[in-house]
Amino acid sequence: MQNIIVVVPCYNEAERFNAQRFVSAAQADPSLSFLLVDDGSTDATRAILERASQQLPAQIQALGLAQNSGKAEAVRRGLQAAFERAPAVVAYFDADLATPLEELAPMRALLEERPELHAVLGSRVGLLGRDVVRTPTRHYLGRIFASVASVLLDLNVYDTQCGAKLFRNTPAVREIFAEPFHVSWTFDVEVLARLAKLARDGTVAPLARSAMEYPLRRWRDVSGSKLEPSAALKAGSELATLWYRYGRK
């Protein structure tokens, strides 16, 4: 397998971060590394991440941000640090591992099998034979959000917000993460919008060929989510911002 660095953004995760799952995954696969990004946590998160890195320093590193900048910037800063180490593939996964690390292998395989792909996106689809468990409220709000995002930005995507995404380390992908995002909670959509813009400019193949959604075999809601009730209003405002910047006029 090609070398991969997985960025894991963390903010006040001391109560639910399972360091051993990351250590075990790295020990089982020498081509896999993790970059654990502490986004200015106010609890013991940074110490936990540093202890994990000490267990397997060749494959697990901790990056501490001086202040809380939000998940979007933590992911971007982590990926920029990962790019410097020149892996073939980079990724970001949520710290709660709602998407289990076992999903990395089939997603990586898609990038190896299809050289035209720049991105493989985890997608939470409740199919027969798949163990995808979401609360009804989250499921239906997610469907509404993804549908609106698809229409506004001309993106044929089922699940924009899944926290499991892999990217080939190409100049186009590095360009996507070169500048800070204009939104925070919906930055996953801006990632796709930037890739779609590169496709329209001819830098990469059309989005239908340069990106692919992978229906996860397993995904579980994890208690302790930082999603607040005001997120729906914020998401609507951010989608308007993205439409203004990236929507076809």
Side-chain angles (χ1 to χ4, degrees):
M1 298 287 284
Q2 296 175 321
N3 287 342
I4 179 174
I5 297 178
V6 180
V7 171
V8 184
C10 304
Y11 177 66
N12 288 351
E13 295 284 353
E15 294 298 321
R16 62 176 187 168
F17 186 80
N18 190 335
Q20 190 55 47
R21 292 176 69 180
F22 293 94
V23 172
S24 297
Q27 288 173 328
D29 182 358
S31 70
L32 172 62
S33 297
F34 293 103
L35 181 57
L36 311 177
V37 182
D38 173 46
D39 185 22
S41 296
T42 58
D43 63 2
T45 295
R46 184 167 301 192
I48 292 171
L49 303 187
E50 289 174 350
R51 284 199 297 270
S53 69
Q54 291 166 6
Q55 290 187 62
L56 206 62
Q59 289 174 264
I60 300 178
Q61 284 79 42
L63 172 64
L65 303 186
Q67 60 185 19
N68 177 239
S69 302
K71 180 181 176 182
E73 184 63 6
V75 166
R76 194 184 73 87
R77 295 271 297 277
L79 287 174
Q80 287 187 320
F83 291 143
E84 293 178 359
R85 294 166 55 191
V89 179
V90 295
Y92 59 87
F93 260 54
D94 284 344
D96 61 11
L97 293 183
T99 302
L101 293 172
E102 288 77 11
E103 295 287 17
L104 275 171
M107 295 175 76
R108 292 171 72 182
L110 288 172
L111 284 175
E112 294 191 347
E113 294 164 4
R114 299 183 53 176
E116 76 278 11
L117 287 176
H118 287 259
V120 175
L121 320 171
S123 186
R124 298 163 292 184
V125 187
L127 300 171
L128 289 174
R130 305 268 169 165
D131 186 17
V132 175
V133 180
R134 304 177 70 186
T135 63
T137 300
R138 282 200 164 199
H139 169 73
Y140 290 112
L141 286 176
R143 293 305 312 124
I144 293 170
F145 177 83
S147 297
V148 172
S150 295
V151 171
L152 290 180
L153 299 172
D154 196 22
L155 302 172
N156 186 22
V157 59
Y158 180 87
D159 185 358
T160 59
Q161 299 307 104
C162 180
K165 292 179 170 63
L166 272 66
F167 303 89
R168 197 184 305 281
N169 185 3
T170 63
V173 167
R174 292 193 292 273
E175 184 175 344
I176 290 171
F177 296 98
E179 300 294 334
F181 294 105
H182 297 93
V183 294
S184 55
W185 191 76
T186 60
F187 82 96
D188 295 270
V189 180
E190 188 164 4
V191 169
L192 291 173
R194 289 182 177 185
L195 182 59
K197 184 178 184 302
L198 292 173
R200 291 196 298 271
D201 294 343
T203 303
V204 300
L207 197 62
R209 290 175 49 212
S210 58
M212 179 178 182
E213 287 188 273
Y214 165 74
L216 297 172
R217 296 170 299 181
R218 186 171 186 270
W219 189 93
R220 294 283 178 135
D221 259 324
V222 178
S223 61
S225 170
K226 300 175 180 65
L227 186 64
E228 299 176 354
S230 60
L233 292 176
K234 185 174 183 180
S237 173
E238 291 191 352
L239 279 182
T241 298
L242 293 178
W243 174 81
Y244 178 76
R245 297 194 65 88
Y246 301 100
R248 294 192 179 187
K249 305 300 187 291

